[in-house]
Amino acid sequence: MDNIPEQWPVLIYCRGGLGSYGGVNTVWLEQFVQKGYIVFAPSYRGNEGGEGRDEYGGRDAEDVHAAYRLVHRLPFADSTRISLMGFSRGAINAVHTATVYNEGPDKVHKLVLWSGVADVERTYHERTDLRRTLKRVLGGSPRAVPEAYLARSPLSNANKLSCPVLIMHGTSDTQVNYSHGTRMYHWLKRGGANVTFHAYGGQDHHFHQRIHEAAVNNMFDWLTAP
């Protein structure tokens, strides 16, 4: 047991979905902790018995901020290696947190966007099955409340990111179009950010098991690299 470090790197996993749909994937948590990380998966308000209402990256963003502050205070967590992973809609919450904690000793170490939403207005237009829900949660359509969609879109906050970013996206994603990943990548690249893109050919929103396992390995290789 002598080779076990006193402090461990941390990965805060921001789940996708909305409300009871698309909750924390516990199988993923088991895979992640096997990589030698503390894994924290905050539950957004209004879920799992919590108070309030999940606002798809609105005030629920504070729930991820609170998780980030909490792990910073854990004596067994390495505060210099606290990274964020946002899956699908979780990219909204992860990017928001990384833009808040983007300098000084509290700075986010690295950020992973896996099948992540980049533009919420584009999601509204692409996902006709989500339009009613998005209008209810955000207070209207993009035409009626453009500021609500803009505030939640990672693209609109990309210029505030200062940590290295890894984008992972399947080219055949039917829930969050592949263009979300490519647009985020090119936007960050043009701004001079340290950004890496992993495209997974033929993969949908959730990858096939063998490809998923390879993607997890690739993600942690990137996270642990200097």
Side-chain angles (χ1 to χ4, degrees), residues 11-15 24-25 29 38-44 64 67:
L11 180 65
I12 296 177
Y13 158 40
C14 301
R15 52 154 282 200
V24 172
N25 190 323
L29 296 183
I38 297 168
V39 182
F40 193 111
S43 181
Y44 311 137
V64 182

Side-chain angles (χ1 to χ4, degrees), residues 115-199:
S115 302
V117 169
D119 184 336
V120 179
E121 179 177 350
R122 176 169 286 209
T123 299
Y124 175 89
H125 293 300
E126 293 171 345
R127 293 290 303 275
T128 56
D129 57 318
L130 287 180
R131 286 182 185 174
R132 181 177 296 180
T133 299
L134 288 173
K135 287 169 71 174
R136 173 178 55 81
V137 174
L138 275 64
S141 68
R143 179 174 294 182
V145 287
E147 66 283 354
Y149 288 78
L150 189 63
R152 288 165 170 80
S153 294
L155 276 172
S156 67
N157 292 305
N159 64 326
K160 301 175 187 175
L161 290 170
S162 59
C163 65
V165 179
L166 170 64
I167 298 171
M168 309 165 67
H169 220 112
T171 63
S172 299
D173 195 329
T174 56
Q175 295 187 46
V176 179
N177 191 275
Y178 179 62
S179 62
H180 284 258
T182 57
R183 288 182 69 205
M184 190 69 177
Y185 171 76
H186 290 300
W187 189 271
L188 288 169
K189 196 71 174 175
R190 282 196 298 268
N194 180 352
V195 58
T196 303
F197 191 91
H198 290 176

Side-chain angles (χ1 to χ4, degrees), residues 208-220:
H208 295 142
Q209 182 176 347
R210 180 177 58 83
I211 303 299
H212 170 82
E213 291 172 357
V216 170
N217 290 335
N218 292 339
M219 179 176 74
F220 280 96

Side-chain angles (χ1 to χ4, degrees), residues 2-114:
D2 293 339
N3 62 342
I4 296 179
E6 294 182 0
Q7 292 185 315
W8 298 77
V10 180
L11 180 65
I12 296 177
Y13 158 40
C14 301
R15 52 154 282 200
L18 176 64
S20 59
Y21 174 75
V24 172
N25 190 323
T26 56
V27 173
W28 285 22
L29 296 183
E30 293 169 4
Q31 294 171 343
F32 296 166
V33 297
Q34 290 176 6
K35 298 295 185 179
Y37 273 65
I38 297 168
V39 182
F40 193 111
S43 181
Y44 311 137
R45 61 190 61 193
N47 299 294
E48 307 293 339
E51 297 179 353
R53 185 170 69 96
D54 186 346
E55 297 180 354
Y56 200 75
R59 282 176 289 187
D60 52 282
E62 169 58 25
D63 303 330
V64 182
H65 298 177
Y68 191 80
R69 293 193 298 269
L70 173 64
V71 296
H72 257 281
R73 296 195 297 268
L74 298 177
F76 47 84
D78 183 346
S79 62
T80 67
R81 291 190 295 164
I82 301 176
S83 300
L84 292 160
M85 187 200 92
F87 177 74
S88 192
R89 158 275 173 95
I92 299 170
N93 300 66
V95 168
H96 195 279
T97 303
T99 60
V100 170
Y101 299 97
N102 64 351
E103 61 183 4
D106 294 340
K107 180 180 176 180
V108 168
H109 181 224
K110 293 184 177 183
L111 170 67
V112 178
L113 306 177
W114 187 329

